[in-house]
Amino acid sequence: MLTAFARAFRTPDLRKKLLFTLGIVVLFRFGQHIPVPGVSFQNVQECVDQAAAGGNSGLFGLVNMFSGGALLQLTIFALGIMPYITASIILQLLVVVIPRLEALKKEGQSGQAKITQYTRYLTMALAVLQATGLVATARSGSLFPNCTVAGEIIPSDSIFTTLLMVIVLTSATALIMWMGELITDRGIGNGMSMLMFTSIAAGFPSALWQIKLSGSLADGWIEFGVVVACGLAMVGLVVFVELAQRRIPVQYAKRMIGRRSYGGTSTYIPLKVNQAGVIPVIFASSLLYIPQLLVQFAGTDAGGWSTWVQRYFTGGDHPYYIITYFLLIVFFAFFYVAITFNPEDVAENMKKYGGFIPGIRAGRPTVEYLSYVLNRITWPGSLYLGLIALVPTVALVMFNAQQDFPFGGTSILIIVGVGLETVRQIESQLHQRNYEGFLR
């Protein structure tokens, strides 16, 4: 990987793309430290320090991780790219449900551009809702439940201040979306993935150092070394599984068109073991946050169900929570694979171009075979996702770590996935510019 980056910097046009991407990332990190107008910076820092000392970032740990810590700091980039991620997931689900969107997807590049435009509109609508909710939560003191000055984070109660904060947060979300699209067009890799990678990686040094400070063996260095070793082992496991795939061979028959022969080639359909990526973990985490959020807004007078939720689904280390989390991840893995990979469409396209799987008849038998293989490889992929996602819970019990444990399942999956994809794109562009044939 380091060799690929060194060769890329020696290529002038690739060097420009890498420096452009680095410049956008630096601007993105700079914006994550600019406070929103109307926020008391000193009170926010005091509440953040108390939350860090208590090892609990509240209900907003997942969003805070995706924003690089900007959410709890109440900076202009507090929402991060979560509105865009949510809008993208919603559009992916609606493509299966709404025939009009499905027809747009099949139109090729023009249809995809239209879906991207709908995603932008939905992102802005979600940004307005999330910004309003964040301002209301911070003003009520629920953003830091155990902080003594939580109710004084936003000193002014005027409507002008509220509107200004919502407009700034929404505009910053639009700016982040524009920066991500600039990286995609003029830089290296997928822009939104790169910004997500930057946000998550930015929290690693402080989280690792916090583990060292809270350790007791050899001034915390033993705990620090164990966590780093476990993190490297997890990275190796994730790389191995993310690159694993089941290759289904496909043979294309020869066809004579005029006096020329076409087809007769062999290829394969790559089915990844983790076909769903990190989406099931995000779905399961978001769904488990809903009961906690309802309890938080309902207050102490909600009744017995509030006490039951607080007892079993708030800490994150109770067996009920762990089992529910694991089962939800497995369910959403099968659900997301079912809506994103359609064996009937694949079989129809193969039949249209004269392709077939050796030993399998075209048509319905091909659909049944692809469904069978997909179900077989989704099982180990979903179990792997569930086990990786439970690492923060195990770390919480063993090391008394924070909720945003640095080598958590979601963060490792995103960082490794984005890193592999970026290196793959760099290597492909290097091959295009430095192609060596058989003769030198």
Side-chain angles (χ1 to χ4, degrees):
M1 184 177 72
L2 296 179
T3 305
F5 276 104
R7 291 172 57 196
F9 271 100
R10 288 196 296 265
T11 306
D13 51 346
L14 278 182
R15 182 170 61 246
K16 291 180 180 178
K17 291 185 175 183
L18 288 173
L19 292 177
F20 179 80
T21 303
L22 183 61
I24 295 294
V25 167
V26 171
L27 290 176
F28 177 65
R29 285 297 299 160
F30 179 73
Q32 289 178 329
H33 292 85
I34 302 177
V36 177
V39 173
S40 174
F41 183 74
Q42 294 181 349
N43 292 337
V44 169
Q45 289 300 314
E46 182 177 348
C47 290
V48 168
D49 294 338
Q50 292 182 15
N56 183 19
S57 57
L59 301 177
F60 307 95
L62 183 68
V63 184
N64 188 56
M65 180 187 69
F66 281 121
S67 65
L71 176 74
L72 297 183
Q73 299 278 355
L74 287 178
T75 63
I76 59 174
F77 286 170
L79 298 182
I81 58 173
M82 277 303 290
Y84 184 84
I85 295 175
T86 307
S88 301
I89 293 174
I90 292 174
L91 260 296
Q92 282 186 336
L93 298 177
L94 291 180
V95 164
V96 185
V97 179
I98 301 177
R100 172 59 181 165
L101 293 177
E102 187 176 2
L104 284 176
K105 184 179 180 181
K106 294 180 180 179
E107 288 181 3
Q109 186 175 0
S110 60
Q112 190 61 42
K114 200 68 176 178
I115 293 178
T116 303
Q117 187 177 5
Y118 292 155
T119 305
R120 294 170 184 163
Y121 293 152
L122 184 58
T123 299
M124 298 310 299
L126 292 175
V128 172
L129 293 176
Q130 293 183 15
T132 306
L134 177 60
V135 172
T137 304
R139 177 166 290 164
S140 65
S142 301
L143 190 63
F144 300 97
N146 300 322
C147 180
T148 55
V149 294
E152 303 174 5
I153 291 178
I154 304 177
S156 176
D157 294 335
S158 64
I159 299 179
F160 176 77
T161 302
T162 303
L163 289 177
L164 178 63
M165 295 179 68
V166 171
I167 291 174
V168 168
L169 290 171
T170 306
S171 303
T173 302
L175 179 61
I176 292 174
M177 187 167 54
W178 178 65
M179 292 166 64
E181 292 180 354
L182 281 180
I183 294 178
T184 304
D185 294 337
R186 302 174 56 184
I188 292 292
N190 183 278
M192 293 302 173
S193 300
M194 289 297 298
L195 295 181
M196 191 190 310
F197 175 92
T198 304
S199 300
I200 296 174
F204 269 53
S206 60
L208 285 173
W209 191 247
Q210 187 65 34
I211 291 176
K212 188 265 175 189
L213 294 178
S214 60
S216 58
L217 300 176
D219 200 19
W221 287 108
I222 292 182
E223 288 90 344
F224 179 85
V226 170
V227 170
V228 171
C230 293
L232 294 177
M234 282 187 60
V235 169
L237 173 64
V238 171
V239 170
F240 177 77
V241 178
E242 290 297 317
L243 295 179
Q245 56 183 220
R246 170 74 159 86
R247 297 181 175 181
I248 300 178
V250 178
Q251 181 73 33
Y252 286 93
K254 285 188 177 181
R255 294 181 297 168
M256 294 298 297
I257 301 179
R259 301 174 64 180
R260 303 186 64 177
S261 175
Y262 295 90
T265 59
S266 298
T267 183
Y268 60 86
I269 302 174
L271 296 180
K272 295 180 62 177
V273 174
N274 182 22
Q275 190 83 5
V278 73
I279 300 299
V281 181
I282 297 177
F283 277 7
S285 302
S286 303
L287 194 62
L288 282 178
Y289 281 151
I290 293 177
Q292 305 175 34
L293 197 63
L294 292 176
V295 168
Q296 184 171 349
F297 284 107
T300 57
D301 301 331
W305 68 272
S306 174
T307 306
W308 188 85
V309 170
Q310 289 180 347
R311 178 182 303 173
Y312 298 119
F313 287 92
T314 300
D317 54 353
H318 195 276
Y320 285 178
Y321 181 92
I322 295 174
I323 294 173
T324 305
Y325 190 33
F326 183 82
L327 293 178
L328 283 175
I329 291 176
V330 174
F331 168 75
F332 281 122
F334 278 92
F335 174 76
Y336 191 74
V337 169
I339 66 174
T340 54
F341 186 89
N342 191 348
E344 294 183 358
D345 291 343
V346 176
E348 183 65 26
N349 291 331
M350 288 171 51
K351 185 178 180 180
K352 183 187 302 182
Y353 294 102
F356 62 93
I357 300 175
I360 306 296
R361 293 176 56 190
R364 191 63 191 174
T366 301
V367 175
E368 295 176 354
Y369 178 75
L370 290 175
S371 301
Y372 170 76
V373 174
L374 192 64
N375 288 331
R376 290 286 297 272
I377 66 173
T378 304
W379 271 113
S382 61
L383 296 178
Y384 146 81
L385 278 178
L387 293 176
I388 290 293
L390 290 179
V391 168
T393 303
V394 177
L396 191 67
V397 176
M398 294 181 59
F399 300 105
N400 193 24
Q402 299 181 8
Q403 294 280 5
D404 50 350
F405 185 66
F407 295 109
T410 309
S411 58
I412 287 292
L413 285 171
I414 293 175
I415 284 182
V416 172
V418 175
L420 289 175
E421 183 61 30
T422 304
V423 172
R424 193 178 296 119
Q425 289 196 19
I426 293 176
E427 289 181 343
S428 66
Q429 296 200 25
L430 285 174
H431 284 309
Q432 292 177 2
R433 291 163 175 79
N434 303 295
Y435 180 75
E436 294 182 357
F438 291 107
L439 300 178
R440 298 185 180 179

